[in-house]
Amino acid sequence: MVLSTVCKPDDGVQLVVTPNIQHISLLEKNEDFRRAYASARIVTCDGFPLYYYARMRRVPIIGRVTGRGIVEALLADPARLASQRLFLVVPDQETQNAVVSWAGRNGLTHAVRTIIPSCGFVDNDAECRQLAHEITQFAPTILLLCVGAPQSEVFVGRYRALLPACWALCIGQGVKVALGLVRGAPRWVQAANLEWLWRILQEPRRLAWRYAVSAAGFLRAMCKDIAQGRT
């Protein structure tokens, strides 16, 4: 849909979000994050706990669609991107170098631009406005935000009036996995729904506490949802 649907000027930015348990936990605490989610054009089901909970609540969903899966599909066939313009907001120099190298190998240098914002950029209005200006000047058809939640979603939500008509995909570390900077989980690990454990074992200091907090937040939200009898 992203590759085949051209965003018209009146459409504005079309936000795509891929919720997992961290997102659900953040939605309870971050009003800007909630507003961004409310404005999203597409909300997929990323985390497997969300998928099974949705099935238990008989919510009609087509299955899991992860941010990693989306970006892997986009980058897997560069020929399909020949008519696209990609702007990537990336977290570090390593990722930027990998994107530039990938674009060069596939003859897409002219159609790909990257930028590295400062840490916590979403709380710097001047930097965000400058970033929105540079994105608009490049006129992308696809904007890939690779700086994680809630920064990616909040940026689009706050500054959507300054952004061009394009698809804005919040994909976290998906681009690092797609470009081989982070080793993706083997298929059997994914099939067993143990990708979260795989990631913790790779980056225990960064992810263990975050996953614990997110799991607690998701359980609270799930219990609240059940108590209120939502469908």
Side-chain angles (χ1 to χ4, degrees):
M1 182 176 180
V2 168
L3 291 176
S4 63
T5 306
V6 178
C7 296
K8 300 176 182 177
D10 291 342
D11 294 336
V13 62
Q14 303 294 295
L15 180 62
V16 179
V17 293
T18 59
N20 52 35
I21 63 171
Q22 182 198 20
H23 289 205
I24 301 303
S25 179
L26 288 169
L27 283 168
E28 283 206 305
K29 300 176 288 187
N30 191 316
E31 185 176 349
D32 283 338
F33 194 49
R34 287 197 300 273
R35 281 199 291 262
Y37 252 78
S39 70
R41 170 74 180 276
I42 297 175
V43 182
T44 74
C45 186
D46 185 320
F48 80 88
L50 275 68
Y51 173 70
Y52 288 116
Y53 179 67
R55 289 186 60 183
M56 184 187 80
R57 298 287 279 161
R58 297 184 180 180
V59 175
I61 55 174
I62 61 171
R64 289 182 64 193
V65 180
T66 66
R68 174 185 53 77
I70 292 173
V71 71
E72 285 181 342
L74 281 175
L75 302 187
D77 187 2
R80 297 182 67 197
L81 297 172
S83 62
Q84 306 291 334
R85 289 175 65 81
L86 277 65
F87 194 110
L88 293 90
V89 182
V90 297
D92 50 49
Q93 190 66 54
E94 180 188 38
T95 307
Q96 185 178 59
N97 292 342
V99 171
V100 170
S101 177
W102 171 85
R105 291 195 306 273
N106 293 286
L108 295 172
T109 299
H110 66 288
V112 175
R113 184 176 175 191
T114 62
I115 195 167
I116 306 171
S118 65
C119 182
F121 76 97
V122 77
D123 294 320
N124 185 326
D125 180 65
E127 181 176 2
C128 286
R129 288 180 177 275
Q130 180 61 31
L131 175 57
H133 173 73
E134 294 191 31
I135 292 170
T136 300
Q137 288 293 103
F138 186 73
T141 55
I142 302 174
L143 170 62
L144 297 176
L145 296 126
C146 315
V147 290
Q151 290 194 111
S152 297
E153 295 84 357
V154 168
F155 169 72
V156 175
R158 285 181 182 169
Y159 298 94
R160 61 170 42 254
L162 303 179
L163 293 170
C166 66
W167 290 98
L169 281 64
C170 301
I171 54 172
Q173 282 203 322
V175 71
K176 286 192 170 189
V177 177
L179 294 176
L181 299 178
V182 173
R183 186 183 175 193
R187 291 189 179 276
W188 70 267
V189 172
Q190 297 178 42
N193 292 324
L194 291 174
E195 193 168 2
W196 59 274
L197 181 58
W198 174 270
R199 293 191 62 193
I200 289 176
L201 292 175
Q202 286 190 306
E203 301 180 82
R205 296 183 64 181
R206 187 176 76 88
L207 295 179
W209 178 248
R210 191 181 85 178
Y211 271 60
V213 171
S214 298
F218 174 69
L219 287 173
R220 284 196 303 271
M222 185 175 67
C223 291
K224 183 179 177 181
D225 185 64
I226 292 172
Q228 293 178 345
R230 294 176 181 169
T231 59

